[in-house]
Amino acid sequence: MFDLTGRLALVTGSARGLGFALATGLAEAGAEVVLHGRHRAAAEAAAHWIAAATGASTHVVCFDVTDADVARAGTAALMDEVGVPDILINNAGMQHRAPFNDFPAERWDQVIATNLSSVFYVSQPITARMATRGSGKVINIASAMSALARRTIAPYTASKGGVGMLTKGMAADLTELGIQVNAISPGYFATEMNEALWSDPEFDSWLKERTPARRWGDVRELVGTAVYLASDASSFVAGQNIHVDGGLTSVV
Ligand code: GCO
């Protein structure tokens, strides 16, 4: 029930970080994978690596997920040239840190567009075609910040809280059409986006004390939950937000 053989998966923001790990994991589970990034060279390098490492068939698309028209055109081209994804992972995201009173408005717009609006822009054309087929899986990458806040990241927190509730809203409309929509909320992982955090000894020790697992997560530890939500094993699961966080959001 966890086999993804014969399934086509699109993972946004998959040239590096969490998205690359998720795309690799779906390929290892048998999926044909479409890599996405803002820069074609990086996405193609990722696709070549995954194809060589897993034997999976891979494709590359590059479009701006923050522009509705561009995302519609980019997803339309993918569906015309390759096919309608069976699995969509909305992973593209960004972080910007500054105290609320100092947070630039243009950065607010960028964080909301990249982390939240993109889920709507990319999902809608694809779920419309999934509905025609009567099947599909959508996995939105939220965050521990869909449940908790931290200083200097209010816009990111708002965006990820929105992803958590958009997941429920999408499930409300799409589940009856054969599409299961769920979210994964990573805790703290040592990714490029978090380099300023894991390279700071004070934050590193705070995080290890705050997290019951007493460590940062490895991005490969997100793959099992992604494969579960992408597979037939989760056929009656909808609107859920699964926290993969070493216990972070379960304790004070
Ligand atoms: C931060 C981090 C977090 C993590 C992750 C936690 O500044 O606190 O960027 O937001 O990236 O989202 O789930």
Side-chain angles (χ1 to χ4, degrees), residues 49-76:
W49 190 93
I50 290 174
T54 69
S57 176
T58 60
H59 308 269
V60 173
V61 290
C62 289
F63 56 83
D64 180 358
V65 297
T66 68
D67 182 306
D69 295 335
V70 170
R72 184 168 295 280
T75 52

PDB file of all heavy atoms in Angstrom, residues 49-76:
ATOM      1  N   TRP A  49      20.638  13.742 -10.447  1.00  0.00           N
ATOM      2  CA  TRP A  49      21.131  12.998  -9.286  1.00  0.00           C
ATOM      3  C   TRP A  49      20.116  11.933  -8.879  1.00  0.00           C
ATOM      4  O   TRP A  49      20.453  10.771  -8.651  1.00  0.00           O
ATOM      5  CB  TRP A  49      21.377  13.943  -8.106  1.00  0.00           C
ATOM      6  CG  TRP A  49      22.112  13.296  -6.969  1.00  0.00           C
ATOM      7  CD1 TRP A  49      23.459  13.296  -6.747  1.00  0.00           C
ATOM      8  CD2 TRP A  49      21.529  12.494  -5.916  1.00  0.00           C
ATOM      9  NE1 TRP A  49      23.749  12.565  -5.619  1.00  0.00           N
ATOM     10  CE2 TRP A  49      22.594  12.067  -5.083  1.00  0.00           C
ATOM     11  CE3 TRP A  49      20.218  12.123  -5.593  1.00  0.00           C
ATOM     12  CZ2 TRP A  49      22.379  11.270  -3.960  1.00  0.00           C
ATOM     13  CZ3 TRP A  49      19.992  11.333  -4.465  1.00  0.00           C
ATOM     14  CH2 TRP A  49      21.061  10.914  -3.664  1.00  0.00           C
ATOM     15  N   ILE A  50      18.826  12.323  -8.828  1.00  0.00           N
ATOM     16  CA  ILE A  50      17.786  11.385  -8.394  1.00  0.00           C
ATOM     17  C   ILE A  50      17.653  10.245  -9.396  1.00  0.00           C
ATOM     18  O   ILE A  50      17.544   9.075  -9.027  1.00  0.00           O
ATOM     19  CB  ILE A  50      16.448  12.121  -8.197  1.00  0.00           C
ATOM     20  CG1 ILE A  50      16.526  13.044  -6.972  1.00  0.00           C
ATOM     21  CG2 ILE A  50      15.293  11.136  -8.060  1.00  0.00           C
ATOM     22  CD1 ILE A  50      15.297  13.929  -6.766  1.00  0.00           C
ATOM     23  N   ALA A  51      17.705  10.569 -10.689  1.00  0.00           N
ATOM     24  CA  ALA A  51      17.588   9.528 -11.716  1.00  0.00           C
ATOM     25  C   ALA A  51      18.733   8.524 -11.598  1.00  0.00           C
ATOM     26  O   ALA A  51      18.524   7.310 -11.641  1.00  0.00           O
ATOM     27  CB  ALA A  51      17.580  10.155 -13.105  1.00  0.00           C
ATOM     28  N   ALA A  52      19.948   9.046 -11.361  1.00  0.00           N
ATOM     29  CA  ALA A  52      21.120   8.163 -11.247  1.00  0.00           C
ATOM     30  C   ALA A  52      21.063   7.329  -9.966  1.00  0.00           C
ATOM     31  O   ALA A  52      21.404   6.154  -9.952  1.00  0.00           O
ATOM     32  CB  ALA A  52      22.398   8.996 -11.273  1.00  0.00           C
ATOM     33  N   ALA A  53      20.583   7.947  -8.895  1.00  0.00           N
ATOM     34  CA  ALA A  53      20.604   7.270  -7.586  1.00  0.00           C
ATOM     35  C   ALA A  53      19.471   6.264  -7.431  1.00  0.00           C
ATOM     36  O   ALA A  53      19.616   5.257  -6.732  1.00  0.00           O
ATOM     37  CB  ALA A  53      20.518   8.312  -6.474  1.00  0.00           C
ATOM     38  N   THR A  54      18.331   6.530  -8.095  1.00  0.00           N
ATOM     39  CA  THR A  54      17.151   5.683  -7.840  1.00  0.00           C
ATOM     40  C   THR A  54      16.657   4.935  -9.076  1.00  0.00           C
ATOM     41  O   THR A  54      15.818   4.060  -8.959  1.00  0.00           O
ATOM     42  CB  THR A  54      15.977   6.553  -7.317  1.00  0.00           C
ATOM     43  OG1 THR A  54      15.516   7.395  -8.400  1.00  0.00           O
ATOM     44  CG2 THR A  54      16.393   7.418  -6.135  1.00  0.00           C
ATOM     45  N   GLY A  55      17.124   5.366 -10.261  1.00  0.00           N
ATOM     46  CA  GLY A  55      16.614   4.753 -11.497  1.00  0.00           C
ATOM     47  C   GLY A  55      15.263   5.301 -11.898  1.00  0.00           C
ATOM     48  O   GLY A  55      14.652   4.869 -12.883  1.00  0.00           O
ATOM     49  N   ALA A  56      14.783   6.288 -11.149  1.00  0.00           N
ATOM     50  CA  ALA A  56      13.455   6.859 -11.442  1.00  0.00           C
ATOM     51  C   ALA A  56      13.493   7.717 -12.704  1.00  0.00           C
ATOM     52  O   ALA A  56      14.536   8.271 -13.063  1.00  0.00           O
ATOM     53  CB  ALA A  56      12.991   7.711 -10.265  1.00  0.00           C
ATOM     54  N   SER A  57      12.331   7.810 -13.347  1.00  0.00           N
ATOM     55  CA  SER A  57      12.183   8.760 -14.451  1.00  0.00           C
ATOM     56  C   SER A  57      11.929  10.137 -13.843  1.00  0.00           C
ATOM     57  O   SER A  57      11.122  10.268 -12.904  1.00  0.00           O
ATOM     58  CB  SER A  57      10.993   8.344 -15.318  1.00  0.00           C
ATOM     59  OG  SER A  57      10.770   9.291 -16.337  1.00  0.00           O
ATOM     60  N   THR A  58      12.652  11.138 -14.321  1.00  0.00           N
ATOM     61  CA  THR A  58      12.507  12.478 -13.739  1.00  0.00           C
ATOM     62  C   THR A  58      12.269  13.516 -14.834  1.00  0.00           C
ATOM     63  O   THR A  58      12.599  13.313 -15.996  1.00  0.00           O
ATOM     64  CB  THR A  58      13.767  12.893 -12.938  1.00  0.00           C
ATOM     65  OG1 THR A  58      14.894  12.897 -13.847  1.00  0.00           O
ATOM     66  CG2 THR A  58      14.032  11.946 -11.786  1.00  0.00           C
ATOM     67  N   HIS A  59      11.675  14.621 -14.415  1.00  0.00           N
ATOM     68  CA  HIS A  59      11.405  15.754 -15.304  1.00  0.00           C
ATOM     69  C   HIS A  59      11.732  17.028 -14.539  1.00  0.00           C
ATOM     70  O   HIS A  59      11.862  17.015 -13.307  1.00  0.00           O
ATOM     71  CB  HIS A  59       9.925  15.775 -15.726  1.00  0.00           C
ATOM     72  CG  HIS A  59       9.429  14.481 -16.275  1.00  0.00           C
ATOM     73  ND1 HIS A  59       9.473  14.162 -17.622  1.00  0.00           N
ATOM     74  CD2 HIS A  59       8.904  13.388 -15.639  1.00  0.00           C
ATOM     75  CE1 HIS A  59       8.968  12.945 -17.784  1.00  0.00           C
ATOM     76  NE2 HIS A  59       8.630  12.447 -16.607  1.00  0.00           N
ATOM     77  N   VAL A  60      11.840  18.143 -15.259  1.00  0.00           N
ATOM     78  CA  VAL A  60      12.143  19.433 -14.631  1.00  0.00           C
ATOM     79  C   VAL A  60      11.179  20.491 -15.131  1.00  0.00           C
ATOM     80  O   VAL A  60      10.905  20.588 -16.332  1.00  0.00           O
ATOM     81  CB  VAL A  60      13.590  19.877 -14.951  1.00  0.00           C
ATOM     82  CG1 VAL A  60      13.856  21.292 -14.449  1.00  0.00           C
ATOM     83  CG2 VAL A  60      14.585  18.908 -14.332  1.00  0.00           C
ATOM     84  N   VAL A  61      10.637  21.288 -14.199  1.00  0.00           N
ATOM     85  CA  VAL A  61       9.835  22.461 -14.562  1.00  0.00           C
ATOM     86  C   VAL A  61      10.345  23.642 -13.746  1.00  0.00           C
ATOM     87  O   VAL A  61      10.806  23.481 -12.611  1.00  0.00           O
ATOM     88  CB  VAL A  61       8.323  22.260 -14.290  1.00  0.00           C
ATOM     89  CG1 VAL A  61       7.728  21.253 -15.268  1.00  0.00           C
ATOM     90  CG2 VAL A  61       8.050  21.845 -12.853  1.00  0.00           C
ATOM     91  N   CYS A  62      10.295  24.799 -14.380  1.00  0.00           N
ATOM     92  CA  CYS A  62      10.703  26.022 -13.679  1.00  0.00           C
ATOM     93  C   CYS A  62       9.637  27.073 -13.908  1.00  0.00           C
ATOM     94  O   CYS A  62       9.402  27.475 -15.056  1.00  0.00           O
ATOM     95  CB  CYS A  62      12.030  26.540 -14.240  1.00  0.00           C
ATOM     96  SG  CYS A  62      13.416  25.506 -13.807  1.00  0.00           S
ATOM     97  N   PHE A  63       8.987  27.499 -12.849  1.00  0.00           N
ATOM     98  CA  PHE A  63       8.053  28.615 -12.954  1.00  0.00           C
ATOM     99  C   PHE A  63       7.915  29.262 -11.578  1.00  0.00           C
ATOM    100  O   PHE A  63       8.155  28.641 -10.558  1.00  0.00           O
ATOM    101  CB  PHE A  63       6.683  28.185 -13.515  1.00  0.00           C
ATOM    102  CG  PHE A  63       5.996  27.087 -12.765  1.00  0.00           C
ATOM    103  CD1 PHE A  63       5.234  27.358 -11.628  1.00  0.00           C
ATOM    104  CD2 PHE A  63       6.093  25.764 -13.197  1.00  0.00           C
ATOM    105  CE1 PHE A  63       4.587  26.341 -10.944  1.00  0.00           C
ATOM    106  CE2 PHE A  63       5.444  24.739 -12.515  1.00  0.00           C
ATOM    107  CZ  PHE A  63       4.695  25.030 -11.384  1.00  0.00           C
ATOM    108  N   ASP A  64       7.522  30.528 -11.589  1.00  0.00           N
ATOM    109  CA  ASP A  64       7.396  31.302 -10.360  1.00  0.00           C
ATOM    110  C   ASP A  64       6.078  30.953  -9.680  1.00  0.00           C
ATOM    111  O   ASP A  64       4.999  31.275 -10.180  1.00  0.00           O
ATOM    112  CB  ASP A  64       7.434  32.803 -10.712  1.00  0.00           C
ATOM    113  CG  ASP A  64       7.299  33.705  -9.486  1.00  0.00           C
ATOM    114  OD1 ASP A  64       7.128  33.176  -8.365  1.00  0.00           O
ATOM    115  OD2 ASP A  64       7.358  34.935  -9.658  1.00  0.00           O
ATOM    116  N   VAL A  65       6.157  30.303  -8.541  1.00  0.00           N
ATOM    117  CA  VAL A  65       4.948  29.846  -7.847  1.00  0.00           C
ATOM    118  C   VAL A  65       4.209  30.994  -7.167  1.00  0.00           C
ATOM    119  O   VAL A  65       3.088  30.817  -6.694  1.00  0.00           O
ATOM    120  CB  VAL A  65       5.278  28.751  -6.802  1.00  0.00           C
ATOM    121  CG1 VAL A  65       5.854  27.510  -7.464  1.00  0.00           C
ATOM    122  CG2 VAL A  65       6.199  29.283  -5.714  1.00  0.00           C
ATOM    123  N   THR A  66       4.803  32.183  -7.167  1.00  0.00           N
ATOM    124  CA  THR A  66       4.152  33.323  -6.501  1.00  0.00           C
ATOM    125  C   THR A  66       3.307  34.147  -7.463  1.00  0.00           C
ATOM    126  O   THR A  66       2.680  35.117  -7.042  1.00  0.00           O
ATOM    127  CB  THR A  66       5.193  34.260  -5.843  1.00  0.00           C
ATOM    128  OG1 THR A  66       5.952  34.912  -6.876  1.00  0.00           O
ATOM    129  CG2 THR A  66       6.118  33.496  -4.918  1.00  0.00           C
ATOM    130  N   ASP A  67       3.306  33.766  -8.746  1.00  0.00           N
ATOM    131  CA  ASP A  67       2.518  34.495  -9.759  1.00  0.00           C
ATOM    132  C   ASP A  67       1.435  33.568 -10.278  1.00  0.00           C
ATOM    133  O   ASP A  67       1.726  32.524 -10.881  1.00  0.00           O
ATOM    134  CB  ASP A  67       3.439  34.937 -10.901  1.00  0.00           C
ATOM    135  CG  ASP A  67       2.700  35.738 -11.972  1.00  0.00           C
ATOM    136  OD1 ASP A  67       1.676  35.238 -12.495  1.00  0.00           O
ATOM    137  OD2 ASP A  67       3.144  36.862 -12.271  1.00  0.00           O
ATOM    138  N   ALA A  68       0.182  33.918 -10.076  1.00  0.00           N
ATOM    139  CA  ALA A  68      -0.941  33.039 -10.424  1.00  0.00           C
ATOM    140  C   ALA A  68      -0.933  32.666 -11.902  1.00  0.00           C
ATOM    141  O   ALA A  68      -1.085  31.490 -12.267  1.00  0.00           O
ATOM    142  CB  ALA A  68      -2.261  33.707 -10.047  1.00  0.00           C
ATOM    143  N   ASP A  69      -0.728  33.652 -12.768  1.00  0.00           N
ATOM    144  CA  ASP A  69      -0.761  33.388 -14.213  1.00  0.00           C
ATOM    145  C   ASP A  69       0.410  32.507 -14.642  1.00  0.00           C
ATOM    146  O   ASP A  69       0.252  31.574 -15.440  1.00  0.00           O
ATOM    147  CB  ASP A  69      -0.746  34.702 -14.995  1.00  0.00           C
ATOM    148  CG  ASP A  69      -2.001  35.536 -14.753  1.00  0.00           C
ATOM    149  OD1 ASP A  69      -3.054  34.940 -14.405  1.00  0.00           O
ATOM    150  OD2 ASP A  69      -1.921  36.778 -14.880  1.00  0.00           O
ATOM    151  N   VAL A  70       1.581  32.790 -14.076  1.00  0.00           N
ATOM    152  CA  VAL A  70       2.773  31.998 -14.423  1.00  0.00           C
ATOM    153  C   VAL A  70       2.614  30.566 -13.916  1.00  0.00           C
ATOM    154  O   VAL A  70       2.920  29.594 -14.614  1.00  0.00           O
ATOM    155  CB  VAL A  70       4.038  32.650 -13.826  1.00  0.00           C
ATOM    156  CG1 VAL A  70       5.238  31.720 -13.955  1.00  0.00           C
ATOM    157  CG2 VAL A  70       4.319  33.988 -14.499  1.00  0.00           C
ATOM    158  N   ALA A  71       2.085  30.406 -12.716  1.00  0.00           N
ATOM    159  CA  ALA A  71       1.887  29.059 -12.159  1.00  0.00           C
ATOM    160  C   ALA A  71       0.852  28.286 -12.967  1.00  0.00           C
ATOM    161  O   ALA A  71       1.003  27.099 -13.237  1.00  0.00           O
ATOM    162  CB  ALA A  71       1.456  29.168 -10.707  1.00  0.00           C
ATOM    163  N   ARG A  72      -0.202  28.991 -13.391  1.00  0.00           N
ATOM    164  CA  ARG A  72      -1.225  28.319 -14.203  1.00  0.00           C
ATOM    165  C   ARG A  72      -0.617  27.839 -15.528  1.00  0.00           C
ATOM    166  O   ARG A  72      -0.827  26.720 -15.963  1.00  0.00           O
ATOM    167  CB  ARG A  72      -2.399  29.268 -14.449  1.00  0.00           C
ATOM    168  CG  ARG A  72      -3.571  28.636 -15.201  1.00  0.00           C
ATOM    169  CD  ARG A  72      -4.809  29.516 -15.159  1.00  0.00           C
ATOM    170  NE  ARG A  72      -5.328  29.650 -13.783  1.00  0.00           N
ATOM    171  CZ  ARG A  72      -6.070  28.716 -13.193  1.00  0.00           C
ATOM    172  NH1 ARG A  72      -6.339  27.588 -13.834  1.00  0.00           N
ATOM    173  NH2 ARG A  72      -6.517  28.907 -11.954  1.00  0.00           N
ATOM    174  N   ALA A  73       0.184  28.711 -16.161  1.00  0.00           N
ATOM    175  CA  ALA A  73       0.806  28.345 -17.441  1.00  0.00           C
ATOM    176  C   ALA A  73       1.826  27.214 -17.246  1.00  0.00           C
ATOM    177  O   ALA A  73       1.880  26.267 -18.029  1.00  0.00           O
ATOM    178  CB  ALA A  73       1.480  29.565 -18.054  1.00  0.00           C
ATOM    179  N   GLY A  74       2.599  27.299 -16.169  1.00  0.00           N
ATOM    180  CA  GLY A  74       3.623  26.278 -15.914  1.00  0.00           C
ATOM    181  C   GLY A  74       3.028  24.922 -15.603  1.00  0.00           C
ATOM    182  O   GLY A  74       3.504  23.902 -16.105  1.00  0.00           O
ATOM    183  N   THR A  75       1.956  24.903 -14.821  1.00  0.00           N
ATOM    184  CA  THR A  75       1.316  23.616 -14.514  1.00  0.00           C
ATOM    185  C   THR A  75       0.589  23.071 -15.739  1.00  0.00           C
ATOM    186  O   THR A  75       0.578  21.875 -15.990  1.00  0.00           O
ATOM    187  CB  THR A  75       0.341  23.763 -13.329  1.00  0.00           C
ATOM    188  OG1 THR A  75      -0.561  24.847 -13.589  1.00  0.00           O
ATOM    189  CG2 THR A  75       1.093  24.020 -12.032  1.00  0.00           C
ATOM    190  N   ALA A  76       0.008  23.962 -16.549  1.00  0.00           N
ATOM    191  CA  ALA A  76      -0.674  23.524 -17.776  1.00  0.00           C
ATOM    192  C   ALA A  76       0.318  22.865 -18.733  1.00  0.00           C
ATOM    193  O   ALA A  76       0.047  21.793 -19.292  1.00  0.00           O
ATOM    194  CB  ALA A  76      -1.356  24.704 -18.457  1.00  0.00           C
TER     195      ALA A  76
END
